[in-house]
Amino acid sequence: MKIILASSSPRRKEIISRLDINFQIINPAINEPRYNNKQSPKDYAEKLSKMKALSIAQKHKKQIIIGADTIVTLNDNIVLGKPQNKKEAYNTLMMLSGKTHKVITGVTIISLSNMSHTFSEQTYVKFLDLKKEEVFKYISTDSPYDKAGSYGIQDYSSIFVEKINGCYDNVLGFPLSRFNYICKNILNIPI
């Protein structure tokens, strides 16, 4: 059984590695559509995960494909993507300051029989009131620029977090326990 992770995320690779399974990583080449308010953030995350999985499944029909995408949403109507520059990173982090936001990861699993299963996990993250000097220190590193919402809970920006409600791994980029449960109990994939 060959498993392919359709993701370039080093955090997803690290999380899935905990299952002690052999898998290959192939970076999906997709053009991510911009979020529009006609769909829910949950549907958007799931759509992106499905696009990633399907882009790899076309050439790898006899493998299990895992596609995933993580987004950050504020008030269920603002999707905060990866910042393009320091100004965007600063503005995003200050927007999250003192508020609770939602981290949603959509996951699509395409099994050997070409059956597809898509789900999403949601985790609530409450930020403290942020100090400008701490935000400036953080955005002067390379860390925020490959992360939705401009932060990574596993790095320096962990000092911004007051509390989380839900799956920590989901905030990192992959809801491992739910994925494991679905594979074993719903899809009958022995991982």
Side-chain angles (χ1 to χ4, degrees):
M1 171 175 60
K2 189 172 181 184
I3 299 172
I4 298 174
L5 173 61
S7 176
S8 59
S9 166
R11 290 163 299 281
R12 283 193 194 106
K13 176 185 176 187
E14 185 180 307
I15 292 167
I16 292 175
S17 293
R18 288 190 230 143
L19 291 174
D20 198 28
I21 57 175
N22 290 324
F23 66 97
Q24 174 186 359
I25 296 174
I26 300 178
N27 189 10
I30 64 164
N31 291 321
E32 292 187 13
R34 294 184 63 82
Y35 174 74
N36 64 56
N37 289 341
K38 294 178 183 168
Q39 63 192 70
S40 71
K42 172 187 171 297
D43 290 343
Y44 178 64
E46 289 179 0
K47 176 182 179 178
L48 293 175
S49 76
K50 192 175 285 189
M51 288 175 67
K52 288 180 178 182
L54 289 172
S55 75
I56 302 301
Q58 292 171 359
K59 293 182 181 175
H60 301 274
K61 297 191 184 300
K62 303 255 186 232
Q63 286 86 17
I64 294 171
I65 313 295
I66 305 163
D69 198 86
T70 302
I71 64 169
V72 172
T73 180
L74 184 62
N75 303 327
D76 280 331
N77 64 350
I78 301 170
V79 172
L80 302 168
K82 297 172 185 172
Q84 299 298 311
N85 52 48
K86 286 184 179 185
K87 183 178 180 183
E88 275 187 31
Y90 177 82
N91 289 341
T92 296
L93 291 168
M94 294 311 287
M95 190 184 311
L96 296 174
S97 177
K99 297 182 183 116
T100 298
H101 61 275
K102 198 181 325 181
V103 178
I104 304 169
T105 301
V107 177
T108 296
I109 305 160
I110 299 176
S111 67
L112 294 170
S113 59
N114 263 346
M115 296 296 290
S116 176
H117 183 84
T118 300
F119 69 94
S120 58
E121 183 74 23
Q122 301 181 47
T123 304
Y124 293 88
V125 180
K126 170 86 163 67
F127 267 22
L128 297 163
D129 290 323
L130 303 183
K131 294 184 168 64
K132 288 181 181 180
E133 56 273 9
E134 290 173 338
V135 173
F136 283 129
K137 180 178 178 178
Y138 183 61
I139 65 172
S140 69
T141 69
D142 291 334
S143 195
Y145 303 102
D146 69 338
K147 296 172 182 74
S150 302
Y151 78 97
I153 197 167
Q154 73 283 5
D155 60 27
Y156 175 83
S157 66
S158 64
I159 68 168
F160 302 161
V161 178
E162 181 178 335
K163 63 183 174 181
I164 71 168
N165 183 2
C167 175
Y168 176 80
D169 283 335
N170 186 54
V171 183
L172 289 175
F174 195 78
L176 187 66
S177 61
R178 185 148 177 226
F179 167 78
N180 184 60
Y181 177 85
I182 286 172
C183 283
K184 289 180 178 174
N185 299 293
I186 296 174
L187 301 177
N188 295 315
I189 298 173
I191 57 170

